[in-house]
Amino acid sequence: MPKGSDEMFLYCRYKYNLYSCCTDFQLKVLVRDPSRLREDLRSKVEVIQGDVTNASDVLRTVEGQDAVVVVLGTRDSLSPTTVLSEGMKNIIKAMKETGIELVSVCLSAFLFYNPERVPARFLDLNADHQRMLDCIKESGLKWIAVLPPHFTDDPSSKYTIKHGSAPGRSITKCDLATFLLESLTTPEHYNQLIGIATTA
């Protein structure tokens, strides 16, 4: 994994307010750097320090869980990578070993675009998002692929979801976190590509 990269699942580094948005869930999280979690959250989630590219770290994180939320990132790096897709493969393998069927995955609204419309600086990252999507489509799991647009720090608001296309240009981090969790209990979202956006 490139230095400076970061990944988490069952929790997202972009949404430190996830717990406050979704208090009905008990969360176990895998993080490379626990210091990046907000102080007030550390006592409210079970934290495992590790690396999504390490299969044993992934396995001990998913053990005992009912479902998995995947939000992987590379911090500010847009360089070519396979870290995200290799991590996704480890997650799928661990889920199958532990009998977990449900997974929601945060990807990117760029996957709704024709490749020629994706800005050049995002092409390499988008390619690994596509590999992640290919992995989950072939997994045989009950998956939800959430393809968000630009994240904002605005307060939680009304939002729209749409199967198969992007309904808008931005989404609050808290609303994205809420949907990633709540979609797991909504069968109509299983095996769907879902766009999400703040309602104008």
Side-chain angles (χ1 to χ4, degrees):
M1 173 173 255
K3 289 183 178 180
S5 60
D6 194 19
E7 80 288 324
M8 301 187 181
F9 69 96
L10 303 184
Y11 188 81
C12 173
R13 71 183 178 92
Y14 297 114
K15 301 184 293 295
Y16 286 163
N17 55 355
L18 184 149
Y19 183 85
S20 63
C21 296
C22 307
T23 54
D24 291 335
F25 295 84
Q26 294 180 341
L27 303 179
K28 182 193 285 188
V29 307
L30 174 66
V31 299
R32 280 179 60 96
D33 182 3
S35 69
R36 293 178 61 82
L37 295 179
R38 223 171 57 196
E39 185 68 33
D40 62 316
L41 296 182
R42 294 178 197 173
S43 63
K44 297 175 181 177
V45 297
E46 182 180 349
V47 179
I48 294 178
Q49 184 171 8
D51 190 320
V52 75
T53 61
N54 183 316
S56 62
D57 289 345
V58 174
L59 182 60
R60 64 192 175 99
T61 305
V62 305
E63 285 177 331
Q65 302 306 293
D66 298 316
V68 173
V69 175
V70 180
V71 188
L72 305 179
T74 57
R75 292 194 186 172
D76 297 324
S77 174
L78 297 177
S79 300
T81 184
T82 58
V83 166
L84 309 182
S85 54
E86 291 303 317
M88 192 72 242
K89 291 175 185 177
N90 283 340
I91 293 167
I92 291 169
K93 182 174 184 291
M95 289 179 65
K96 290 184 174 182
E97 289 179 6
T98 54
I100 301 171
E101 291 186 317
L102 291 172
V103 57
S104 65
V105 184
C106 182
L107 295 167
S108 167
F110 285 137
L111 291 179
F112 285 132
Y113 292 20
N114 292 325
E116 59 271 16
R117 290 188 57 213
V118 177
R121 67 184 182 278
F122 296 118
L123 285 173
D124 291 323
L125 183 59
N126 198 58
D128 211 29
H129 281 150
Q130 181 64 58
R131 288 187 286 270
M132 287 179 70
L133 180 58
D134 293 341
C135 287
I136 62 173
K137 282 183 173 181
E138 297 168 2
S139 69
L141 301 171
K142 295 176 181 176
W143 53 266
I144 304 105
V146 183
L147 281 56
H150 173 69
F151 302 160
T152 74
D153 291 311
D154 295 335
S156 180
S157 181
K158 293 181 180 180
Y159 62 88
T160 299
I161 61 168
K162 189 172 183 180
H163 290 181
S165 64
R169 300 180 65 88
S170 67
I171 184 66
T172 73
K173 296 173 184 179
C174 190
D175 290 336
L176 176 58
T178 298
F179 183 73
L180 282 165
L181 287 166
E182 292 184 349
S183 65
L184 292 166
T185 57
T186 310
E188 69 188 68
H189 297 322
Y190 296 170
N191 299 347
Q192 297 287 337
L193 274 64
I194 302 176
I196 183 170
T198 299
T199 303

